[in-house]
Amino acid sequence: MPNLHGVGANRNIGKKSFEDNKELLLRTIEERGDFDVAFVIASSSGGTGSSFAPLLIQAMKERYKYNVYGIIVLPFREEGSIYLQNSIFCLKDIMDGNGDGTIIVDNQYLKHLGKDIKKCL
């Protein structure tokens, strides 16, 4: 891909970027070998992860025979409304797709458990 700095929380740009680079991404996965299962791990708050994750899961399920699961990280509540909105759309797209399952990681809850971000890690 031409730029590795993300898409500025814009899911539409992220979706177009995925479609423009879909074959490159899938070819890169194929070059890694044959799998029994795959996990797509992404943040749901920004534009890149929230737009790529559902599309990548869908593309992998269409092309490969193995199970594909999403591990989706939710944003902190204080990150702002655009990031919460991206998460909602991302999760909806994943739920509407054909993945084999989704694990949701709640940053806010992990932060609450650790009291500060360093203790959460």
Side-chain angles (χ1 to χ4, degrees):
M1 288 182 282
N3 188 334
L4 297 178
H5 298 289
V7 296
N10 187 323
R11 294 184 78 239
N12 292 325
I13 295 172
K15 288 178 182 182
K16 181 173 181 346
S17 179
F18 177 85
E19 291 303 328
D20 291 347
N21 295 283
K22 178 179 175 178
E23 287 307 314
L24 171 65
L25 293 166
L26 294 174
R27 201 168 44 249
T28 301
I29 292 168
E30 289 167 8
E31 290 170 0
R32 303 277 179 175
D34 192 26
F35 304 100
D36 295 325
V37 65
F39 295 92
V40 174
I41 304 170
S43 166
S44 66
S45 60
T48 307
S50 71
S51 61
F52 267 54
L55 295 173
L56 183 57
I57 291 168
Q58 181 80 14
M60 291 174 73
K61 287 299 297 177
E62 289 171 1
R63 185 168 293 195
Y64 310 122
K65 296 187 186 307
Y66 50 78
N67 291 334
V68 181
Y69 297 92
I71 300 177
I72 307 302
V73 181
L74 300 177
F76 295 112
R77 308 307 179 267
E78 59 268 17
E79 286 187 65
S81 61
I82 187 70
Y83 301 105
L84 295 172
Q85 179 180 337
N86 280 348
S87 290
I88 291 167
F89 286 127
C90 174
L91 291 173
K92 182 188 179 318
D93 289 348
I94 288 174
M95 300 299 277
D96 289 345
N98 61 355
D100 294 296
T102 306
I103 298 168
I104 299 174
V105 180
D106 186 355
N107 263 342
Q108 195 74 32
Y109 183 74
L110 293 175
K111 181 180 174 185
H112 174 74
L113 284 177
K115 303 297 182 202
D116 70 47
I117 194 66
K118 287 182 181 178
K119 291 181 184 172
C120 293
L121 301 176

